[in-house]
DNA sequence: CTTGTGGAATTGGTTCGCTC
DNA sequence: GAGCGAACCAATTCCACAAG
């Protein structure tokens, strides 16, 4: 079976890139667009199994894009809302969105919603089991029990620390930007000089090192983000 | 048994000084 | 300038206990 074809239309470069990376890691065939006009063009010219559409776009907003897409096809659309108010959600759904998700959102939730829609439309068949456990070079994370082990030594992490480590470990060798991690882990916008993420990272790093994990597996990419290998 | 209250513990965030 | 870490503060959660 060919991989499902997805189109991501979002003018937020960092979010668009990171979503694309996450989706490609899940073996989806992903195309990116960064403004409404080009996004619409791409959406009507090619066939996609699902479109992720930002509500607020330059040139042509997401609602207008959705309106035109609906005139041409029944391609499922998940709208990424900026404030997620009831009025905004109703507007999106009334134009024909299949689902709406307010920003900032949990990427796991978005992936599950994508899976649910693709299952309904028959693009993917069996329910895709959300990944619950990761094993990598001695490090073991279990999402259900929120437990972390390194070489069978338990590491106690707070919920935020666990989410942060899970995000990094589930995207090995990918540089995850600070802006993306702020949005997905701390669920807010990244502000220069906000040290919260650095602090969480520092605490996670300390606990991993105490458990014996080599320091260089959790790298800081100066001015860019963080990377787990 | 349920609800309210107060203190302790935990967690997340900020500040500041240091290093690279 | 960017990142790290210690110390501190504030908010939240947990839990035991008392009152209704």
């Amino acid at each position: 079976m060919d991989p499902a074809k997805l189109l991501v239309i979002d003018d937020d470069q960092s979010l668009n890139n990171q979503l694309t990376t996450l989706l490609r890691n899940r073996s989806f065939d992903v195309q990116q667009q960064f403004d409404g006009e080009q996004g619409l063009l791409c959406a009507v010219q090619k066939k996609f199994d699902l479109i992720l559409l930002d509500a607020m776009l330059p040139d042509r907003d997401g609602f207008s894009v959705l309106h035109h897409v609906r005139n041409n096809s029944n391609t499922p659309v998940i709208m990424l809302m900026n404030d997620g108010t009831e009025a905004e959600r109703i507007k999106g759904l009334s134009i024909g969105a299949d689902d709406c998700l307010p920003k900032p959102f949990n990427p796991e939730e978005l992936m599950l919603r994508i899976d649910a829609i693709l299952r309904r439309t028959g693009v993917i068949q069996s329910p895709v089991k959300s990944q619950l456990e990761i094993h990598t070079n001695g490090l073991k994370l279990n999402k259900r029990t929120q437990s972390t082990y390194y070489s069978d030594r338990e590491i106690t992490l707070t919920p935020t620390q666990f989410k942060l480590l899970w995000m990094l470990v589930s995207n090995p060798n990918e540089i995850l930007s600070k802006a993306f991690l702020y949005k997905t882990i701390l669920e807010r916008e990244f502000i220069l000089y906000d040290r919260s993420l650095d602090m969480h990272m520092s605490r996670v790093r300390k606990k991993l090192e105490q458990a014996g994990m080599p320091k260089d597996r959790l790298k800081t990419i100066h001015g860019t983000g963080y990377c787990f290998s």
Side-chain angles (χ1 to χ4, degrees):
Chain A
M1 198 180 218
D2 283 343
K5 291 187 174 57
L6 270 62
L7 173 62
V8 179
I9 311 175
D10 197 321
D11 62 316
D12 181 336
Q13 291 262 353
S14 124
L15 182 64
N16 193 325
N17 288 337
Q18 301 286 0
L19 279 178
T20 300
T21 301
L22 290 179
L23 291 165
R24 284 183 180 148
N25 284 349
R26 291 171 67 104
S27 304
F28 289 122
D29 177 358
V30 189
Q31 284 207 27
Q32 296 174 273
Q33 290 296 337
F34 298 90
D35 67 70
E37 210 57 62
Q38 290 303 312
L40 176 59
L41 209 62
C42 187
V44 297
Q45 281 178 348
K46 295 175 187 165
K47 185 168 163 34
F48 291 97
D49 295 309
L50 188 142
I51 299 171
L52 289 179
L53 176 62
D54 184 18
M56 211 146 82
L57 291 164
D59 295 342
R60 180 191 283 277
D61 76 17
F63 298 105
S64 166
V65 174
L66 177 61
H67 187 76
H68 283 79
V69 168
R70 276 291 160 270
N71 285 338
N72 289 288
S73 75
N74 283 322
T75 305
V77 174
I78 297 179
M79 285 203 87
L80 306 175
M81 300 299 196
N82 291 290
D83 50 26
T85 58
E86 193 177 68
E88 202 184 27
R89 294 198 308 275
I90 289 173
K91 186 177 175 188
L93 292 167
S94 65
I95 298 174
D98 295 80
D99 202 353
C100 297
L101 201 55
K103 287 181 181 180
F105 50 82
N106 182 325
E108 180 73 11
E109 185 183 353
L110 175 64
M111 297 303 148
L112 291 170
R113 285 174 188 259
I114 290 172
D115 288 346
I117 288 180
L118 294 178
R119 256 197 326 275
R120 281 204 295 275
T121 53
V123 175
I124 54 177
Q125 282 166 352
S126 58
V128 175
K129 242 194 180 158
S130 159
Q131 197 176 14
L132 284 176
E133 211 168 81
I134 299 177
H135 294 243
T136 168
N137 288 343
L139 188 65
K140 195 162 75 183
L141 281 86
N142 187 306
K143 199 167 200 176
R144 192 176 52 78
T145 58
Q146 296 272 304
S147 57
T148 309
Y149 290 86
Y150 184 76
S151 300
D152 294 328
R153 278 181 71 177
E154 185 166 16
I155 303 168
T156 310
L157 299 175
T158 66
T160 303
Q161 290 168 1
F162 184 85
K163 269 167 79 180
L164 183 55
L165 182 60
W166 180 274
M167 181 60 76
L168 288 157
V169 173
S170 57
N171 295 281
N173 303 310
E174 295 285 347
I175 300 170
L176 302 183
S177 71
K178 291 180 82 169
F180 178 72
L181 291 171
Y182 262 90
K183 277 190 191 124
T184 56
I185 307 298
L186 302 179
E187 299 183 356
R188 55 188 160 95
E189 293 295 325
F190 170 55
I191 302 163
L192 207 65
Y193 305 123
D194 184 342
R195 322 300 324 286
S196 308
L197 185 71
D198 298 333
M199 279 310 307
H200 289 304
M201 192 62 73
S202 153
R203 286 166 179 163
V204 170
R205 193 175 264 143
K206 194 172 174 181
K207 288 178 179 178
L208 291 172
E209 280 170 29
Q210 276 171 356
M213 198 186 84
K215 227 175 170 170
D216 60 359
R217 288 188 67 188
L218 194 45
K219 291 191 194 79
T220 301
I221 314 300
H222 220 80
T224 307
Y226 297 94
C227 177
F228 183 86
S229 55

